[in-house]
Amino acid sequence: MTTLHATPIHTAPGSSAPDNLRGLVLMALGFFAFAACDVQAKYLADSFHPAQVVWFRQIGLFLGVVVLIAIKGTHLLRSRLPGIQITRGVTAVISGLCFVLAVRSVPLADAVAVTFIAPFIVTLLSALFLREPVGPRRWAAVAVGFAGMLVVIRPGFGVFDPAIFFVVGAACFFSMRQVLSRSLAGADSVSTTVAYTSITATLLLSLSLPFVWTTPQTLQLWAVIVGLTATAGLGEILVIRALDIAQASVVAPMQYSLIIWSTFYGFVVFGDLPDHWTFVGCAIIVASGLYTLHRERLNARAAKQQAQADTAKAPA
């Protein structure tokens, strides 16, 4: 699932000034890689079980984590909240499986458009479980975003594919992953969270391989598998690096470039071209998402100013 890897972790700002321009470039390249990864996953879904396709996707990041542990040491696996870390890995597996199940029959651009509802689900879950304050404007953005999703899938208008529910499921489990990431903020490092997610997901998927494994029979399939693994790992690295050097609120909107690449790849490889209603619904979702990001940026700025004011008033 592509979009759902947009901002896996909120990193704390470093001591140096953010390099937003470079971060934007890296984020754009990351989502270009993710779109390429998604189209290859859709292609492989016709020949392999979804669990095997998701395993192919995870193995690239897993190998990168192994190299990282070899370089930096096993202290990367020391977590203050290992239960939450493992749960986050489980949600990564389920969201990936749901997305691959969906794109077997749903056009890639439609699937990607529906995944854009993830930020709104995060808002809902954060309000319910983290007790984060959500004002009426953000609730309105959530409602508009879901309305945009209904425009894309159009239930009752003869174009609805039940497989789209797998995309909704993928977005829900990714959103749970995001909420868990917020719970981990300040407890574990980004490297530790990525390592736990990758190892947990790879081990769980590996357990299923004896029951679902199909050996690739052609060089073309092997080439696509290598491409899937490489683009998945590359996309993760680029996005993580972008979030490390730039402000998340600045680079996060680049996730919406996925609809451009997914439409392009879907048309070139599968001959799928979204109708105008898909673009209308996607525009509604994107506009609502951008507004939500804007409100989060304003809230973060207000919280920072309040913290500075409280510090200034504190007795020496």
Side-chain angles (χ1 to χ4, degrees), residues 33-302:
F34 278 141
C37 177
D38 279 349
V39 74
Q40 291 172 103
K42 180 176 174 65
Y43 180 85
L44 292 173
D46 289 334
S47 303
F48 302 100
H49 191 278
Q52 189 173 351
V53 175
V54 180
W55 184 84
F56 287 143
R57 178 167 185 158
Q58 283 290 337
I59 200 66
L61 183 60
F62 175 76
L63 294 175
V65 167
V66 170
V67 172
L68 188 64
I69 292 174
I71 294 173
K72 293 193 173 184
T74 56
H75 70 275
L76 283 177
L77 299 179
R78 295 173 188 164
S79 171
R80 297 180 183 176
L81 301 169
I84 294 179
Q85 291 284 14
I86 292 171
T87 302
R88 189 177 186 276
V90 173
T91 61
V93 170
I94 299 174
S95 64
L97 288 172
C98 286
F99 187 77
V100 173
L101 283 167
V103 296
R104 278 179 157 182
S105 57
V106 175
L108 191 59
D110 289 24
V112 168
V114 173
T115 63
F116 287 160
I117 67 168
F120 310 119
I121 301 175
V122 170
T123 299
L124 289 171
L125 295 178
S126 297
L128 291 173
F129 298 106
L130 301 183
R131 298 291 187 252
E132 291 185 1
V134 179
R137 294 179 181 177
R138 287 180 65 188
W139 283 123
V142 169
V144 172
F146 279 103
M149 180 192 71
L150 293 176
V151 172
V152 174
I153 64 178
R154 279 159 288 160
F157 285 85
V159 296
F160 175 73
D161 189 327
I164 203 73
F165 283 122
F166 284 119
V167 184
V168 177
C172 288
F173 279 101
F174 171 72
S175 300
M176 294 179 196
R177 192 172 137 198
Q178 291 284 71
V179 172
L180 292 172
S181 295
R182 293 185 179 184
S183 300
L184 291 166
D188 292 338
S189 68
V190 173
S191 298
T192 297
T193 299
V194 171
Y196 262 90
T197 298
S198 175
I199 292 171
T200 302
T202 303
L203 289 178
L204 284 176
L205 291 164
S206 296
L207 292 175
S208 70
L209 290 185
F211 306 99
V212 303
W213 179 266
T214 299
T215 301
Q217 299 296 320
T218 66
L219 287 176
Q220 182 177 356
L221 285 175
W222 278 113
V224 176
I225 290 168
V226 172
L228 171 69
T229 301
T231 52
L234 178 63
E236 291 281 3
I237 292 169
L238 289 170
V239 168
I240 290 170
R241 181 57 180 159
L243 291 169
D244 188 45
I245 67 173
Q247 294 170 301
S249 59
V250 173
V251 299
M254 287 304 300
Q255 67 179 302
Y256 295 120
S257 66
L258 277 170
I259 194 64
I260 299 173
W261 303 123
S262 297
T263 300
F264 171 76
Y265 285 133
F267 176 70
V268 171
V269 179
F270 303 107
D272 294 333
L273 190 62
D275 61 22
H276 67 283
W277 285 113
T278 296
F279 287 114
V280 170
C282 187
I284 294 172
I285 296 171
V286 170
S288 301
L290 291 175
Y291 179 77
T292 299
L293 287 171
H294 172 66
R295 293 300 306 174
E296 288 184 353
R297 183 162 49 216
L298 291 179
N299 291 338
R301 184 185 304 168

